[in-house]
Amino acid sequence: MGDSARESKLAGQFFDAAIGLLQQVRDQDAEEIAAAGTAIAEAVAAGGRLFAFGAGHSSLAAQDVVYRAGGLALMNLLAVPGVVGVDVMPATLGSALERVDGLAGAVLDSSPARAGDVLIIISLSGRNALPVEMAMNARALGLTVIGVTSVAYATETKSRHVSGTYLKDHCDIVLDSRIAVGDAELTHEAIEAPFAPASTVVTSALMQATMAAAAEEMVRLGIEPPLLRSGNVDGGHEWNGRVMTEYADRIFYRH
């Protein structure tokens, strides 16, 4: 670095906070991550399909495991119109739709999800109607539900679902992101609001760790994990074409 360069104290503090959270989930969620990986591997072995759902910024971690190099080809995004990202206008509409009763049931009923499949539901707070009803309806349909959420919200906030319950209450397996309520890791005496959210970093890491656990379990079961390769390396497109052809009946983002 040049003489005029200087490091940002707050940037370093964010990295420290994120690393600390990653260490927490690595150590404290290890059994749950392994269980989630086993559930995914067993579903693949039994001919089941895989889905991931998240609303708003929670959708980023769901999208992170769908159709990407090094990822499982069978992971599909269960998209809810208007809540997948901030592309909806106005952006506040997405937040409002998370609180609409009945939307989750309508989405599941029109989706290809069926008994024996696995659905990963990502919701930082787990308090809105959409993720709660998504989990409730999915389990009623016979799906295995893996929830990725911050359990702290269940004790420090009020549920927005009529049942008074949270996402964590309707899951077969819960991966706790351990993100503090408010999702902001930093404060500064000259800045009124807390800032620097780490939920995307931690949740995406939880998702990728779960996919790694699933691949490991598939090997133990004698299954070649249906992984995608990068299209930017020689032979990548050909490899992906073979995988997608073999598993065409379980891949829905191509249709």
Side-chain angles (χ1 to χ4, degrees), residues 111-131:
S111 79
R114 65 189 185 192
D117 293 346
V118 171
L119 172 60
I120 304 174
I121 301 175
I122 306 167
S123 174
L124 176 61
S125 72
R127 68 193 292 237
N128 288 310
L130 188 55

Side-chain angles (χ1 to χ4, degrees), residues 34-198:
T38 296
I40 290 169
E42 290 179 346
V44 171
R49 290 84 60 79
L50 311 176
F51 299 90
F53 162 78
H57 288 95
S58 290
S59 179
L60 294 173
Q63 295 179 59
D64 194 42
V65 294
V66 176
Y67 185 55
R68 69 167 306 156
L72 289 174
L74 274 59
M75 185 61 69
N76 300 278
L77 183 68
L78 184 65
V80 178
V83 304
V84 173
V86 294
D87 57 332
V88 62
M89 295 292 289
T92 50
L93 176 60
S95 298
L97 288 172
E98 288 186 62
R99 306 175 191 179
V100 174
D101 294 331
L103 181 57
V107 169
L108 275 173
D109 288 345
S110 61
S111 79
R114 65 189 185 192
D117 293 346
V118 171
L119 172 60
I120 304 174
I121 301 175
I122 306 167
S123 174
L124 176 61
S125 72
R127 68 193 292 237
N128 288 310
L130 188 55
V132 172
E133 291 184 359
M134 189 72 78
M136 294 173 69
N137 282 275
R139 290 184 88 185
L141 290 172
L143 278 76
T144 296
V145 177
I146 300 169
V148 184
T149 187
S150 172
V151 173
Y153 276 82
T155 58
E156 299 179 37
T157 69
K158 183 178 180 181
S159 171
R160 289 183 174 138
H161 188 251
V162 65
S163 68
T165 61
Y166 299 78
L167 169 61
K168 74 173 186 65
D169 299 318
H170 306 284
C171 297
D172 298 285
I173 301 164
V174 176
L175 305 183
D176 186 359
S177 65
R178 304 178 190 275
I179 299 293
V181 173
D183 192 19
E185 295 300 319
L186 303 182
T187 58
H188 188 282
E189 60 184 10
I191 302 174
E192 187 171 354
F195 54 98

Side-chain angles (χ1 to χ4, degrees), residues 198-239:
S199 60
T200 303
V201 173
V202 176
T203 305
S204 290
L206 276 170
M207 292 293 287
Q208 294 297 348
T210 298
M211 298 306 111
E216 182 178 18
E217 181 63 14
M218 285 181 215
V219 171
R220 194 187 71 80
L221 294 174
I223 301 169
E224 174 69 25
L227 296 168
L228 295 173
R229 291 180 180 268
S230 172
N232 295 315
V233 298
D234 293 342
H237 285 298
E238 292 76 13
W239 171 282

